[in-house]
């Protein structure tokens, strides 16, 4: 009999310890005190809210637990009934209070429990600091609490991510009711520039550097292009200024030299490159002058050394 009683006590103690450990996995995850454009309740009202999350991978039902915003419950000398009187009970007749692994649940402040199990008669003032605490069903064990600073409209106070001990004020477009607090969002290039260069000095220097680099490249290109075109025009002008006769004369000299070279090759060096036609022309001119009495009066005797030629008398 004693052994059975001992076993029952051990089982009861283990059950209470396991249940208590499960309650520790429930955390206050996000709080919004001034709601004008955030999530609405099922009646279309914008109410302040608190979000609970189950950070464990097992299901836990938060029914029978308590929420409060009264700091006087921290007085350790206060009895459990006195403390519970300053709290609001999470109702038992709401199926949504059973939180599965990593699930979130919203409770609305400044509301009437008659509207539903998620509506609590906890009245808070918008835009003022707030303390929110979650107590276990015995009204004694503090499960979680957070001191919320005065928040701007539609901004929330939330953990940096689920289960984190760091709290941050989240902007209106970053509020996450009913879902995980941390959302991976890629930062845009414009946002990154604004964050890294808030005064715009870096982007100014970069822009001016690009502009001046382009101008320098254009200056170099047009400088060399101008030099090239200038030399090209100078060559054309030099060609246009040369007289046509010079070119013709050079052609004649080249032709004459070619002709003399041809004679030398044919008759050898004894004629010294003088064409036979030149000899004929000289003799003909001398005879012509003689016939026309151009020469001075002499003895009338012409001495001509005989030489074998191919000429015949006409």
């Amino acid at each position: 009999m004693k052994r059975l009683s001992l076993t029952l006590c051990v089982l009861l103690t283990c059950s209470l310890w396991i249940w208590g450990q499960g309650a520790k996995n429930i955390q206050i995850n996000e709080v919004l005190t001034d709601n004008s454009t955030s999530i609405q309740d099922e009646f279309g009202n914008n109410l302040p809210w608190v979000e609970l999350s189950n950070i464990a991978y097992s299901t836990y039902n938060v029914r029978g637990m308590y929420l409060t915003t009264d700091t006087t419950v921290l007085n350790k000398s206060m009895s459990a009934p006195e403390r519970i009187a300053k709290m609001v009970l999470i109702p038992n007749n709401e199926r949504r209070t059973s939180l599965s692994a990593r699930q979130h649940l919203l409770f609305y402040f400044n509301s009437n429990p008659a509207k539903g199990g998620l509506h609590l008669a906890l009245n808070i003032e918008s835009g003022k600091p707030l303390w929110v605490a979650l107590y276990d069903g015995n009204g004694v064990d503090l499960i979680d609490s957070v001191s919320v600073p005065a928040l701007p409209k539609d901004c929330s106070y939330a953990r940096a991510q689920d289960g984190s001990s760091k709290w941050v004020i989240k902007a209106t477009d970053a509020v996450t009711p009913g879902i995980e607090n941390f959302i991976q969002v890629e930062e845009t290039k414009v946002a990154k520039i604004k964050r890294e260069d808030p005064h715009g000095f870096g982007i100014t220097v970069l822009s001016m550097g690009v502009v001046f680099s382009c101008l320098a490249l254009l200056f170099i290109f047009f400088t060399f292009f101008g030099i090239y075109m200038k030399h090209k025009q100078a060559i054309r002008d030099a060609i246009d200024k040369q007289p046509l006769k010079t070119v013709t004369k050079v052609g004649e000299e080249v032709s004459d030299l070619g002709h003399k070279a041809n004679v030398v090759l044919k008759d050898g060096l004894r004629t010294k490159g003088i064409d036979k036609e030149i000899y004929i022309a000289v003799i003909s001119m001398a005879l012509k002058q003689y016939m026309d009495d151009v020469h001075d009066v002499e003895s009338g005797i012409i001495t001509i050394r005989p030489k074998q030629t191919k000429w015949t008398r006409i």
Side-chain angles (χ1 to χ4, degrees), residues 16-33:
L16 291 175
W17 181 82
I18 293 172
W19 184 263
Q21 287 299 109
K24 291 293 183 181
N25 292 323
I26 305 301
Q27 291 185 345
I28 298 173
N29 201 47
E30 189 171 5
V31 181
L32 189 144
T33 58

Side-chain angles (χ1 to χ4, degrees), residues 160-222:
Q161 59 185 23
D162 290 8
S164 173
S165 59
K166 181 181 178 181
W167 288 77
V168 295
I169 297 177
K170 303 182 74 173
T172 303
D173 56 351
V175 176
T176 55
I179 59 175
E180 292 185 14
N181 290 349
F182 178 74
I183 300 176
Q184 184 68 34
V185 179
E186 293 185 0
E187 188 178 25
T188 63
K189 293 182 179 180
V190 174
K192 185 177 180 181
I193 291 174
K194 287 183 178 179
R195 175 173 56 81
E196 296 181 349
D197 187 22
H199 301 291
F201 295 122
I203 192 66
T204 301
V205 173
L206 179 62
S207 301
M208 296 300 293
V210 171
V211 171
F212 282 110
S213 298
C214 293
L215 290 175
L217 290 175
L218 288 174
F219 173 77
I220 294 171
F221 171 76
F222 283 111

Side-chain angles (χ1 to χ4, degrees), residues 84-271:
I84 290 174
K86 297 177 180 295
M87 302 178 182
V88 171
L89 177 68
I90 297 177
N92 295 323
N93 56 351
E94 176 59 56
R95 59 179 180 81
R96 288 173 290 182
T97 57
S98 181
L99 299 181
S100 58
R102 322 301 291 184
Q103 189 178 355
H104 305 77
L105 182 63
L106 292 184
F107 289 95
Y108 297 101
F109 294 147
N110 296 350
S111 190
N112 189 342
K115 292 183 178 181
L118 303 183
H119 292 261
L120 306 179
L122 281 176
N123 296 322
I124 64 172
E125 294 185 34
S126 301
K128 291 187 176 182
L130 175 70
W131 180 77
V132 182
L134 175 68
Y135 273 82
D136 202 357
N138 56 15
V140 176
D141 297 329
L142 177 62
I143 304 301
D144 194 19
S145 66
V146 59
S147 295
V148 182
L151 298 174
K153 185 176 294 186
D154 296 319
C155 293
S156 69
Y157 193 61
R159 296 181 186 271
Q161 59 185 23
D162 290 8
S164 173
S165 59
K166 181 181 178 181
W167 288 77
V168 295
I169 297 177
K170 303 182 74 173
T172 303
D173 56 351
V175 176
T176 55
I179 59 175
E180 292 185 14
N181 290 349
F182 178 74
I183 300 176
Q184 184 68 34
V185 179
E186 293 185 0
E187 188 178 25
T188 63
K189 293 182 179 180
V190 174
K192 185 177 180 181
I193 291 174
K194 287 183 178 179
R195 175 173 56 81
E196 296 181 349
D197 187 22
H199 301 291
F201 295 122
I203 192 66
T204 301
V205 173
L206 179 62
S207 301
M208 296 300 293
V210 171
V211 171
F212 282 110
S213 298
C214 293
L215 290 175
L217 290 175
L218 288 174
F219 173 77
I220 294 171
F221 171 76
F222 283 111
T223 299
F224 283 100
F225 184 74
I227 294 172
Y228 166 74
M229 294 302 296
K230 182 179 179 181
H231 284 283
K232 186 176 180 181
Q233 187 63 34
I235 293 171
R236 288 182 178 177
D237 293 342
I239 293 174
D240 293 340
K241 289 179 180 180
Q242 292 294 331
L244 184 61
K245 292 182 179 180
T246 304
V247 180
T248 306
K249 186 176 180 181
V250 172
E252 291 176 353
E253 290 179 358
V254 172
S255 178
D256 186 58
L257 289 174
H259 182 69
K260 289 183 178 181
N262 186 35
V263 171
V264 171
L265 292 174
K266 287 183 178 180
D267 299 335
L269 295 175
R270 60 187 180 85
T271 61

Side-chain angles (χ1 to χ4, degrees), residues 51 78 235 268:
E51 179 188 73
M78 186 179 293
I235 293 171

